[in-house]
Amino acid sequence: MAIREIRIIGDPILRTPCEWITDIDDKVKSLVEDLLEGVALEGRAGLAANQIGVGLRAFSYNVDGEIGYVLNPKLVEVSEDEYQDGDEGCLSVPELWYPTERAWYARVEGIDLDGKPVVLEGEELMARALQHECDHLEGMIYIDRLDRATRKKALRDIRNKNY
């Protein structure tokens, strides 16, 4: 199976909230295969379905050697007192990284291909990836979370990249 092309900022699917998966059929199983194959490439921590052109609530992750996926993920908990503000990037905004504040800890609940509950949680990079991918499924891109001055610079840089 070929790796699907990553949708780049400006593509309307990235700004459209994804639909809940109501039927786990062959289409969804194929989507999960594509997400897992796409996230397994070096330098990728997460991949949301809409980043490969599918408007369904699913994402894959690749953090600290652990690769997996979740369907219908919902961000159910984040740390409220501890934050991280390291640089963040996105496959849909190639080659640009900006300091992005995220909760230090995050917990996501969803289901697997058998409809069984899945709980993903973690700190630092895993927490950042969970928050980042859940944002994608809501039609948000990480640049929406930047402080005003950094966002202004990011938008200028994006225009100059001319994707």
Side-chain angles (χ1 to χ4, degrees), residues 83-98:
Y83 292 92
Q84 52 180 313
D85 61 358
D87 282 352
E88 190 166 320
C90 180
L91 297 170
S92 295
V93 188
E95 302 171 7
L96 298 176
W97 294 75
Y98 301 97

Side-chain angles (χ1 to χ4, degrees), residues 3 30-41 47 52 59-62 67-70 113:
I3 302 232
S30 178
L31 170 62
V32 168
E33 286 178 25
D34 290 348
L35 287 169
L36 290 171
E37 187 175 329
V39 81
L41 297 174
L47 183 62
I52 58 173
F59 71 75
S60 57
Y61 60 91
N62 181 356
I67 296 177
Y69 72 94
V70 61
L113 285 171

Side-chain angles (χ1 to χ4, degrees), residues 54-118:
V54 179
L56 294 175
R57 295 187 75 84
F59 71 75
S60 57
Y61 60 91
N62 181 356
V63 177
D64 297 329
E66 183 181 345
I67 296 177
Y69 72 94
V70 61
L71 307 178
N72 290 336
K74 183 174 181 181
L75 189 61
V76 296
E77 184 181 354
V78 294
S79 57
E80 295 182 20
D81 328 2
E82 291 185 275
Y83 292 92
Q84 52 180 313
D85 61 358
D87 282 352
E88 190 166 320
C90 180
L91 297 170
S92 295
V93 188
E95 302 171 7
L96 298 176
W97 294 75
Y98 301 97
T100 308
E101 186 176 282
R102 295 282 188 180
W104 182 260
Y105 166 86
R107 176 184 167 106
V108 166
E109 294 177 357
I111 59 173
D112 65 14
L113 285 171
D114 295 320
K116 293 189 168 114
V118 169

Side-chain angles (χ1 to χ4, degrees), residues 6-26:
I6 302 294
R7 301 297 178 95
I8 302 300
I9 190 167
D11 189 316
I13 197 164
L14 296 172
R15 293 301 192 172
T16 305
C18 293
E19 299 291 324
W20 293 93
I21 295 170
T22 56
D23 185 29
I24 299 173
D25 55 15
D26 289 342

